[in-house]
Amino acid sequence: MAQLHFTIFIFFSFIFAISSSSFAPPRHPFDPLTETELKLVQTIINKTYPIGPSHKFTFQYVGLNEPDKSLVLSWYSSPKHNIKPPPRQAFVIARDNGKSREIVVDFSSRAIVSDKIHVGNGYPMLTNDEQEAATELVLKFKPFLDSVTKRGLNVSEIVFTTSTVGWYGESEAETERVIRMMPFYLDGTVNMYLRPIEGMTILVNLDVMKVTEFTDRLTVIMPKANGTEYRISELKPPFGPTLQNAVFMQPDGPGFKIDGHVVRWANWEFHISFDARAGIVISLASMFDMDVKKYRQVLYKGHLSEMFIPYMDPSDDWYFITYLDCGDFGCGQCAVSLEPYRDCPAGAVFMDGVFAGQDGTPAKIPNVMCIFEKYAGDIMWRHTEAEIPNLEITEVRPDVSLVARIVTTVGNYDYIVDYEFKPSGSIKMGVGLTGVLEVKPVEYTHISEIKEDDIHGTIVADNTIGVNHDHFVTFRLDLDIDGSPNSFVRNELVTKRTPKSVNTPRKSYWTTSPKTAKTETEARVKLGLKAEELVVVNPNRKTKHGNEVGYRLLSSPPSGPLLVQDDYPQIRAAFTNYNVWITPYNRTEVWAGGLYADRSHGDDTLAVWSQRNREIENKDIVMWYTIGFHHVPSQEDFPTMPTLSGGFELRPTNFFEQNPVLKSKPIKIASAKNCIPKND
Ligand SMILES: *[C@@H]1O[C@H](CO)[C@@H](O)[C@H](O)[C@H]1NC(C)=O
Ligand SMILES: *[C@@H]1O[C@H](CO)[C@@H](O)[C@H](O)[C@H]1NC(C)=O
Ligand SMILES: *[C@@H]1O[C@H](CO)[C@@H](O)[C@H](O)[C@H]1NC(C)=O
Ligand SMILES: *[C@@H]1O[C@H](CO)[C@@H](O)[C@H](O)[C@H]1NC(C)=O
Ligand SMILES: [Cu+2]
């Protein structure tokens, strides 16, 4: 769901804030579009398609047009990047008189270099502006106001969120660009999602901005406002549990350097960008290898590709709630300003995000990403040697890592997405779910009152069901392990019976049975109990002992879709059918649920691309990984939900000749007794 009141806060006083400047020329091919560039896009397009009241033309997405990979790599590998970077271009998806138009604008020629109408199913990301306009529309819609009166509600206390409606087998002609408006009642709460006004079906066609359907079943149950408060300023004592104030000290300042959008820290170097659809985009992540005195490539590009959040109540008010959040609402566009010291610790550096508003005018989300060093008391490596007579050795290195964070608030849910880099070479992607449940009003306050077979969730408060649902979070990971041509190895651990001929009391052991996936089919993985290492290797690069250099995937606990395969939401989200997919690199295959996710028919998903069963051995390949959470709500998730965390790790496997952090010097962790914690 989209947040409707899109407020932009500006922090003037924040010393560490750096802005994604609109004055400096972009230096890196992956730099996000600047405000100046977005304005230029608006001006150039306005020449061909006059934007104004007489012509319905809206910018649904504007982002960097993915530069040609071979040009980026030549630029990147040239000494001091002294060759011309690839042409800088913007990719625009617009709605133009009821059609989706894809436009590429070239900045050096200041011209439209490609312009075509999208033929096929699905619609682009919704804009914040059109969702607000739809709300205004409904608040003035007579039948709605009549219903409000009939229900005895105060219209000034009604707020809306918007819901995409999915696709349930309608023909292309029937699939209009409509959204469903979901009313909520404040009247004593600010936790709007916990007071849904159930029973109204309100559809708005966004292309013509008209209410196209309105019905009201005049249901009356409404969870109460009491008990939904979560602001510390409004909560009443007693407070607890009490936590000691915290401090993180870096007497010498942060250990990372940011040059434009390039981050250098410890042995890592990577580029960080912001995209209205993906949120954070990490690219050209490489690591300095002390043995060869060179940076070695790991991740060409990595980012969120899609999320899928199907709810498990098939009734009229709920069946359609099966969001594709990044494609429907924009995981970057819904990202929020991060709060210094709370969202990110002391020493964090913040970056702004800019994106195009509906008329092409740039909008800024200040402090949308933060970068910080994290020390959480973990151990990077250690050993105590106590067996040598007259000698006791203990060597310990604390684990410090670098985190790039974004928080995307898609309506009721807040997704915390972390990209964490470790000196040992690991990259950990973390996903934290928090925020507010999506709830259904019922007459019940106790499970003993339930009349139906299935209430599709848990009673989490009086008259309130937290409805069962899933969160599937799909990352696109274009790994380039020590270069682009890579292979995917499934290294199965298999149990062997000890042969009779071997003289041993042992009856069994396990050993490895690696298989290189030749085609896409062989690389689809449903995680489960099977003992299997999943490794992306560079078969052309070997360690001095002959092992192929690689990175392996350490997955989160396995979970996959539970809907039937021919259910419409599952057809549209068929990219969740496997946890891991490998595809050959293709510039246009970026969004796992399709470029046009809203109302898609599932004909442009990763699952469809993969059916071509292309060759993937020793090729430039892309890994797609989906983390799944099945969420059975519990009372602790009310009125706000403590963060539920998941994630995965990409870990070097025979990438280095030996432990890459062996010679990392111990750091001093100062005790902070005399330090006054900042309590702003
Ligand atoms: C587009 O150009 C017209 C003049 O042709 C101007 O009136 C209008 O303000 C421009 N719109 C935007 C959004 O720049
Ligand atoms: C309706 O709500 C508004 C805004 O909260 C309030 O000012 C007004 O008094 C309410 N009207 C009634 C009839 O309760
Ligand atoms: C609100 O709930 C609290 C307990 O959560 C209760 O003590 C209080 O009486 C309630 N207030 C009203 C107005 O119902
Ligand atoms: C890239 O993928 C798209 C969509 O799947 C496909 O139409 C196109 O032919 C592919 N390009 C290449 C070079 O394979
Ligand atoms: Cu959930």
Side-chain angles (χ1 to χ4, degrees), residues 25-80:
R27 281 163 292 184
H28 192 287
F30 280 125
D31 277 354
L33 297 181
T34 61
E35 284 184 59
T36 313
E37 286 174 322
L38 287 171
K39 281 187 195 138
L40 196 54
V41 169
Q42 186 190 38
T43 307
I44 292 166
I45 289 184
N46 197 17
K47 280 191 201 132
T48 309
Y49 303 103
I51 307 155
S54 57
H55 180 200
K56 189 142 169 52
F57 187 97
T58 53
F59 291 80
Q60 308 291 134
Y61 170 83
V62 182
L64 182 73
N65 192 39
E66 177 84 16
D68 186 89
K69 186 164 176 178
S70 59
L71 295 181
V72 174
L73 289 175
S74 329
W75 169 85
Y76 184 67
S77 56
S78 65
K80 295 210 163 74

Side-chain angles (χ1 to χ4, degrees), residues 293-529:
K293 298 186 179 57
K294 268 200 320 211
Y295 277 92
R296 295 170 66 196
Q297 286 184 64
V298 178
L299 182 66
Y300 179 73
K301 201 172 179 202
H303 57 83
L304 259 186
S305 174
E306 193 51 279
M307 295 207 252
F308 174 48
I309 303 102
Y311 280 72
M312 294 301 141
D313 181 342
S315 71
D316 198 50
D317 281 331
W318 281 82
Y319 76 91
F320 56 91
I321 306 184
T322 55
Y323 304 120
L324 294 169
D325 271 344
C326 297
D328 284 350
F329 301 109
C331 287
Q333 193 172 272
C334 293
V336 295
S337 292
L338 298 169
E339 296 223 359
Y341 304 107
R342 298 202 176 92
D343 280 319
C344 315
V349 166
F350 292 78
M351 283 184 172
D352 301 339
V354 288
F355 66 97
Q358 182 170 294
D359 69 350
T361 307
K364 186 193 273 188
I365 313 173
N367 294 358
V368 75
M369 311 182 277
C370 72
I371 296 158
F372 59 91
E373 280 170 296
K374 174 167 149 184
Y375 169 62
D378 292 335
I379 296 168
M380 182 162 78
W381 68 265
R382 80 175 315 293
H383 182 58
T384 293
E385 189 48 74
E387 305 300 323
I388 304 171
N390 308 320
L391 184 69
E392 198 180 301
I393 305 169
T394 290
E395 288 283 334
V396 198
R397 305 288 183 276
D399 191 41
V400 181
S401 57
L402 187 75
V403 176
R405 172 171 295 169
I406 193 164
V407 175
T408 293
T409 302
V410 196
N412 54 313
Y413 254 92
D414 299 60
Y415 294 92
I416 305 162
V417 182
D418 282 357
Y419 297 84
E420 182 177 358
F421 295 84
K422 290 182 171 286
S424 61
S426 284
I427 310 176
K428 285 175 88 169
M429 276 65 167
V431 180
L433 315 180
T434 176
V436 182
L437 289 175
E438 208 157 315
V439 303
K440 178 183 169 119
V442 281
E443 59 199 282
Y444 316 130
T445 58
H446 192 275
I447 56 168
S448 63
E449 299 155 12
I450 297 172
K451 293 186 205 85
E452 58 264 52
D453 290 342
D454 193 346
I455 58 165
H456 308 293
T458 309
I459 300 179
V460 293
D462 285 354
N463 310 112
T464 307
I465 289 176
V467 176
N468 296 333
H469 60 276
D470 301 308
H471 304 260
F472 294 101
V473 183
T474 302
F475 286 84
R476 178 180 186 270
L477 304 162
D478 182 356
L479 290 161
D480 279 12
I481 305 299
D482 230 356
S484 293
N486 286 177
S487 296
F488 181 60
V489 176
R490 302 180 68 160
N491 190 7
E492 204 182 327
L493 312 185
V494 289
T495 302
K496 295 266 181 186
R497 268 200 174 268
T498 324
K500 290 253 163 29
S501 56
V502 181
N503 186 17
T504 170
R506 276 280 296 277
K507 293 196 168 137
S508 65
Y509 64 100
W510 63 255
T511 191
T512 55
S513 170
K515 282 194 189 69
T516 300
K518 302 227 172 327
T519 63
E520 289 178 281
T521 320
E522 293 174 25
R524 292 178 200 145
V525 183
K526 271 186 196 157
L527 295 169
L529 289 175

Side-chain angles (χ1 to χ4, degrees), residues 525-563:
V525 183
K526 271 186 196 157
L527 295 169
L529 289 175
K530 187 167 170 180
E532 186 178 44
E533 297 218 311
L534 304 172
V535 199
V536 172
V537 299
N538 186 330
N540 316 297
R541 295 270 153 77
K542 300 202 166 98
T543 62
K544 67 180 177 203
H545 304 297
N547 296 308
E548 290 174 346
V549 305
Y551 257 71
R552 94 186 112 123
L553 171 73
L554 297 182
S555 58
S556 53
S559 71
L562 297 174
L563 295 177

Side-chain angles (χ1 to χ4, degrees), residues 570-638:
Q570 196 55 42
I571 294 169
R572 301 174 62 223
F575 59 90
T576 61
N577 287 348
Y578 293 89
N579 298 93
V580 179
W581 310 69
I582 305 284
T583 57
Y585 172 84
N586 175 318
R587 224 183 121 266
T588 65
E589 293 177 352
V590 176
W591 310 107
L595 180 58
Y596 296 88
D598 174 29
R599 308 221 65 189
S600 64
H601 295 195
D603 46 21
D604 181 30
T605 69
L606 169 58
V608 172
W609 313 329
S610 170
Q611 275 168 15
R612 277 179 277 173
N613 201 18
R614 293 160 287 187
E615 287 182 2
I616 53 167
E617 190 179 3
N618 203 6
K619 293 249 161 35
D620 186 3
I621 55 176
V622 175
M623 175 188 273
W624 306 76
Y625 177 67
T626 298
I627 310 176
F629 300 84
H630 300 300
H631 190 175
V632 179
S634 68
Q635 286 188 240
E636 291 83 356
D637 300 343
F638 186 95

Side-chain angles (χ1 to χ4, degrees), residues 172-366:
E172 200 177 332
E174 290 168 320
T175 322
E176 292 180 329
R177 200 162 78 93
V178 295
I179 54 170
R180 194 150 155 165
M181 304 302 293
M182 319 263 277
F184 296 84
Y185 206 49
L186 299 175
D187 198 31
T189 186
V190 292
N191 202 343
M192 57 180 266
Y193 294 102
L194 294 181
R195 302 198 80 198
I197 300 174
E198 196 87 338
M200 284 192 197
T201 304
I202 314 165
L203 295 180
V204 171
N205 180 318
L206 292 175
D207 284 332
V208 294
M209 260 312 154
K210 277 213 176 74
V211 179
T212 52
E213 190 181 327
F214 180 84
T215 55
D216 188 359
R217 291 190 282 106
L218 288 171
T219 50
V220 289
I221 304 154
M222 163 92 61
K224 30 181 209 244
N226 192 18
T228 61
E229 185 58 71
Y230 56 87
R231 291 167 297 179
I232 190 73
S233 57
E234 303 298 319
L235 291 169
K236 303 270 179 307
F239 294 106
T242 305
L243 304 172
Q244 192 67 280
N245 284 329
V247 74
F248 181 84
M249 282 216 326
Q250 284 192 300
D252 313 320
F256 56 92
K257 295 225 159 34
I258 301 183
D259 176 12
H261 285 80
V262 175
V263 182
R264 292 188 185 87
W265 173 79
N267 43 354
W268 280 103
E269 177 188 289
F270 62 90
H271 182 274
I272 180 167
S273 180
F274 170 82
D275 176 78
R277 182 157 179 173
I280 283 183
V281 177
I282 301 288
S283 49
L284 293 166
S286 58
M287 230 184 331
F288 190 75
D289 183 340
M290 292 209 317
D291 285 345
V292 292
K293 298 186 179 57
K294 268 200 320 211
Y295 277 92
R296 295 170 66 196
Q297 286 184 64
V298 178
L299 182 66
Y300 179 73
K301 201 172 179 202
H303 57 83
L304 259 186
S305 174
E306 193 51 279
M307 295 207 252
F308 174 48
I309 303 102
Y311 280 72
M312 294 301 141
D313 181 342
S315 71
D316 198 50
D317 281 331
W318 281 82
Y319 76 91
F320 56 91
I321 306 184
T322 55
Y323 304 120
L324 294 169
D325 271 344
C326 297
D328 284 350
F329 301 109
C331 287
Q333 193 172 272
C334 293
V336 295
S337 292
L338 298 169
E339 296 223 359
Y341 304 107
R342 298 202 176 92
D343 280 319
C344 315
V349 166
F350 292 78
M351 283 184 172
D352 301 339
V354 288
F355 66 97
Q358 182 170 294
D359 69 350
T361 307
K364 186 193 273 188
I365 313 173

